[in-house]
Amino acid sequence: MAKLTMLTEHSPFMMGFVFVTEKDNAVIIDGGRPADMPYLFELVGNRKIAAWILTHPHFDHISGFNEVMRDPEVRERVGKVYCHFPSVDFVLKCEPQFVTPEAPCSVRDFEAVRVLFSDEVNVVEPGDTLDVDELHFAFRCAGGERYYLPKPNLAVNESSIVFRVTAEGHRSVLFLGDLGPEGGRELLRTQKEALPSDIVQMAHHGPSGVSEGADKA
């Protein structure tokens, strides 16, 4: 039976999950900051990382990935990377307040390290699917530069990819990344029938994301 583990915080406000399949392959979702990587790899162990899914390019979700993928031994273990990021210019335009020496532009860092594994990067689109052993991933929305919202902390969150994970005989899980209220409303408008799941990862770590009342908005 596949196992899903939500990472315990080793840095503030991070997000990370690890699936381990029946055939003992791993799928990582985000992962957090560099401080979270030792615990993440303790969970992964020596398993092959069949897929690493990055929901959106905020520092607390992908800076750990950016660091460890500089290591050729880690890159050798990772099968494919799945994401759909906005451009560096978009991030700097929408959220310059979050680009600081302590939290540099994670998209810029990702692009700098991406040259080391560019063939393994899949830019996902709505309707794309991924199968890893018994796990089926169905991508329901894929961010990029879908919104320009001149509000703090929203534009890049609204670029989050959303996907549902199913497997026969298992509970289904819906991952929302850090999707915001606008994205939540569009998701319900366009994908409502495909969303019901046993478990939902609440957007933006619980508060300030997709709302329970989005369908009434």
Coordinates of all heavy atoms in Angstrom, one line a residue, residues 19 29 135-138 163-167 171-175 197:
F19 N 5.5 10.7 -1.0 CA 4.8 9.4 -1.3 C 5.8 8.3 -1.4 O 6.9 8.5 -2.1 CB 4.0 9.4 -2.6 CG 2.6 10.1 -2.6 CD1 2.5 11.4 -3.0 CD2 1.5 9.4 -2.1 CE1 1.2 12.0 -3.0 CE2 0.3 10.0 -2.1 CZ 0.1 11.3 -2.5
I29 N 6.8 16.2 -3.1 CA 6.0 17.4 -3.5 C 6.7 18.5 -2.6 O 6.7 18.5 -1.4 CB 4.5 17.2 -3.1 CG1 3.9 16.1 -3.9 CG2 3.8 18.5 -3.4 CD1 2.6 15.6 -3.5
L135 N 0.2 4.9 -8.3 CA -0.3 6.3 -8.1 C -0.6 7.0 -9.4 O 0.2 7.0 -10.4 CB 0.7 7.1 -7.3 CG 1.0 6.6 -5.9 CD1 2.1 7.5 -5.3 CD2 -0.3 6.5 -5.0
H136 N -1.8 7.6 -9.5 CA -2.1 8.4 -10.7 C -2.3 9.8 -10.3 O -3.1 10.2 -9.5 CB -3.5 7.8 -11.3 CG -3.9 8.6 -12.5 ND1 -3.3 8.5 -13.8 CD2 -5.0 9.5 -12.6 CE1 -4.0 9.3 -14.6 NE2 -5.0 9.9 -14.0
F137 N -1.6 10.7 -11.0 CA -1.6 12.1 -10.7 C -2.3 12.8 -11.9 O -1.9 12.7 -13.1 CB -0.2 12.7 -10.6 CG 0.6 12.2 -9.4 CD1 1.2 10.9 -9.5 CD2 0.8 12.9 -8.3 CE1 1.9 10.4 -8.4 CE2 1.5 12.4 -7.2 CZ 2.1 11.2 -7.3
A138 N -3.4 13.6 -11.6 CA -4.1 14.3 -12.6 C -4.0 15.8 -12.3 O -4.5 16.3 -11.3 CB -5.6 13.9 -12.7
F163 N -3.3 19.3 -8.3 CA -3.4 18.0 -8.9 C -4.0 17.1 -7.9 O -4.0 17.3 -6.7 CB -2.0 17.5 -9.3 CG -1.0 17.5 -8.2 CD1 -0.7 16.4 -7.4 CD2 -0.2 18.7 -8.0 CE1 0.3 16.5 -6.4 CE2 0.7 18.8 -7.0 CZ 1.0 17.7 -6.2
R164 N -4.7 16.0 -8.4 CA -5.4 15.0 -7.6 C -4.6 13.7 -7.8 O -4.3 13.3 -8.9 CB -6.8 14.9 -8.0 CG -7.7 14.0 -7.2 CD -9.2 14.2 -7.6 NE -10.1 13.4 -6.8 CZ -10.5 12.2 -7.3 NH1 -10.2 11.7 -8.5 NH2 -11.3 11.5 -6.5
V165 N -4.4 13.0 -6.6 CA -3.7 11.7 -6.7 C -4.7 10.6 -6.3 O -5.4 10.7 -5.2 CB -2.5 11.7 -5.7 CG1 -1.7 10.5 -5.8 CG2 -1.6 13.0 -5.9
T166 N -4.7 9.6 -7.1 CA -5.6 8.5 -6.8 C -4.9 7.2 -7.1 O -3.9 7.1 -7.8 CB -6.9 8.5 -7.8 OG1 -6.4 8.5 -9.1 CG2 -7.7 9.7 -7.5
A167 N -5.4 6.1 -6.5 CA -4.9 4.8 -6.7 C -6.0 3.8 -6.3 O -6.7 4.0 -5.2 CB -3.6 4.5 -5.9
R171 N -7.3 6.0 -0.6 CA -8.0 7.3 -0.5 C -7.4 8.3 -1.5 O -6.2 8.3 -1.8 CB -7.9 7.9 0.9 CG -8.8 7.1 1.9 CD -8.7 7.7 3.2 NE -7.5 7.4 3.9 CZ -7.1 7.8 5.1 NH1 -8.0 8.5 5.8 NH2 -6.0 7.5 5.6
S172 N -8.2 9.2 -2.1 CA -7.7 10.2 -3.0 C -7.3 11.4 -2.2 O -7.8 11.7 -1.2 CB -8.8 10.6 -4.0 OG -10.0 11.0 -3.3
V173 N -6.3 12.2 -2.8 CA -5.7 13.4 -2.2 C -5.7 14.5 -3.2 O -5.2 14.3 -4.4 CB -4.3 13.1 -1.7 CG1 -3.8 14.3 -0.9 CG2 -4.2 11.9 -0.8
L174 N -6.2 15.7 -2.9 CA -6.1 16.8 -3.7 C -5.1 17.8 -3.1 O -5.2 18.2 -2.0 CB -7.5 17.5 -3.7 CG -7.6 18.8 -4.6 CD1 -7.5 18.4 -6.1 CD2 -8.9 19.5 -4.4
F175 N -4.1 18.2 -4.0 CA -3.1 19.1 -3.6 C -3.4 20.5 -4.2 O -3.5 20.6 -5.4 CB -1.7 18.6 -4.0 CG -1.2 17.5 -3.1 CD1 -1.5 16.1 -3.5 CD2 -0.5 17.7 -2.0 CE1 -1.0 15.1 -2.8 CE2 -0.1 16.6 -1.2 CZ -0.3 15.3 -1.6
S197 N -12.4 14.8 -3.2 CA -11.3 13.9 -2.7 C -11.5 13.6 -1.3 O -12.1 14.3 -0.5 CB -9.9 14.6 -2.9 OG -9.8 14.9 -4.3

